[in-house]
Amino acid sequence: MKPLVCLATALLASCAAPGSPRTGLPYDAWRLGFLAPSYMEVWLEAADVEDVHGRIFPGAMSGTVAINYSGDPAGWSQPVGWGKGRDITGAALPQRIYVRWQSLAEPQTYRAVLDIPASARQRMREKAPSMRPPIKYEYQEALAIGLAPGGWIRAWVMSPSSTPVEILCQKAEIEPKGPDQGKYEGRYVTLGPESKEYLRLHPIPYDSWKCPAATESVQ
């Protein structure tokens, strides 16, 4: 009886394997997350996703990003986390991410188009071992994007427990309309007290987030 039961209930997807035929993924959704270096607060104005089929998913993310209020903000601490984010359901793997954000530490507003390499999408279809025992293998379904002062961007692919793999490094351009596309008289989101105190005592380490010259790309 078991095969008959499964055959009947498959029409309701209860016996289906994880994944979606419409997106071609081996899992139900991929994850998009954003982070910033310690104290270097970011307000994400917009992140829109374009998948490999050319479909646009506007407003995939906005608001605050993951950040720590301890340690040295210079560079990207390893291993990076997968950031504050959400599952992107109904979309195939990303072709491009359109992002605009306020770097509150400066303050400055940036925008960029991130062309996700085909090699990154291939990784997102593969499983990777966990960083620590007991070793398990999980799909690398998460895309984490780091936003730093100066417009520097890094991106990594990872599973919940695998070593992050850097897949992109580039420099954004300044948004000429300013914060919120020129709304609110050019006012920025307020910088938090912990970051404000840190910046009162320390300079912004711009050079620590720069891309190697061979990989830098300005959109």
Side-chain angles (χ1 to χ4, degrees), residues 38-70:
S38 295
Y39 302 104
M40 304 293 126
E41 292 181 20
V42 161
W43 178 261
L44 183 63
E45 292 189 354
D48 303 330
V49 171
E50 179 184 349
D51 75 5
V52 291
H53 302 309
R55 296 177 298 172
I56 304 295
F57 295 78
M61 273 287 294
S62 63
T64 58
V65 308
I67 191 171
N68 290 321
Y69 294 102
S70 62

Side-chain angles (χ1 to χ4, degrees), residues 39 70 135 153 189:
Y39 302 104
S70 62
I135 301 300
I153 306 168
V189 171

Side-chain angles (χ1 to χ4, degrees), residues 134-181:
I135 301 300
K136 56 183 178 179
Y137 287 79
E138 299 171 307
Y139 282 110
Q140 300 171 94
E141 81 273 24
L143 174 63
I145 299 174
L147 305 174
W152 296 107
I153 306 168
R154 301 254 177 156
W156 301 265
V157 165
M158 67 192 80
S159 78
S161 58
S162 68
T163 302
V165 177
E166 185 174 318
I167 55 97
L168 180 149
C169 183
Q170 71 180 65
K171 193 178 191 303
E173 67 176 7
I174 293 173
E175 167 55 63
K177 294 182 180 179
D180 293 303
Q181 299 286 273

Side-chain angles (χ1 to χ4, degrees), residues 6-27:
C6 190
L7 179 61
T9 54
L11 296 175
L12 299 176
S14 60
C15 288
S20 168
R22 188 160 66 93
T23 63
L25 297 176
Y27 37 80

Side-chain angles (χ1 to χ4, degrees), residues 35-42 65-78 80 105 146-149 191 194-196 198-199 202-205 208-209:
L35 59 145
S38 295
Y39 302 104
M40 304 293 126
E41 292 181 20
V42 161
V65 308
I67 191 171
N68 290 321
Y69 294 102
S70 62
D72 187 351
W76 293 102
S77 60
Q78 298 296 327
V80 296
L147 305 174
L191 186 67
E194 298 95 337
S195 296
K196 190 176 294 185
Y198 181 89
L199 291 165
H202 303 87
I204 297 175
S208 71
W209 303 300

Side-chain angles (χ1 to χ4, degrees), residues 93-175:
L93 290 175
Q95 178 81 26
R96 296 180 184 86
I97 309 288
Y98 303 85
V99 61
R100 188 178 70 249
W101 78 97
Q102 297 178 23
S103 174
L104 304 181
E106 301 177 79
Q108 187 61 266
T109 306
Y110 297 100
R111 66 183 185 187
V113 178
L114 311 183
D115 288 305
I116 307 303
S119 58
R121 288 190 294 274
Q122 181 58 40
R123 283 188 178 276
M124 294 178 77
R125 293 179 173 277
E126 298 171 349
K127 292 184 177 181
S130 54
M131 288 184 282
R132 300 177 183 85
I135 301 300
K136 56 183 178 179
Y137 287 79
E138 299 171 307
Y139 282 110
Q140 300 171 94
E141 81 273 24
L143 174 63
I145 299 174
L147 305 174
W152 296 107
I153 306 168
R154 301 254 177 156
W156 301 265
V157 165
M158 67 192 80
S159 78
S161 58
S162 68
T163 302
V165 177
E166 185 174 318
I167 55 97
L168 180 149
C169 183
Q170 71 180 65
K171 193 178 191 303
E173 67 176 7
I174 293 173
E175 167 55 63

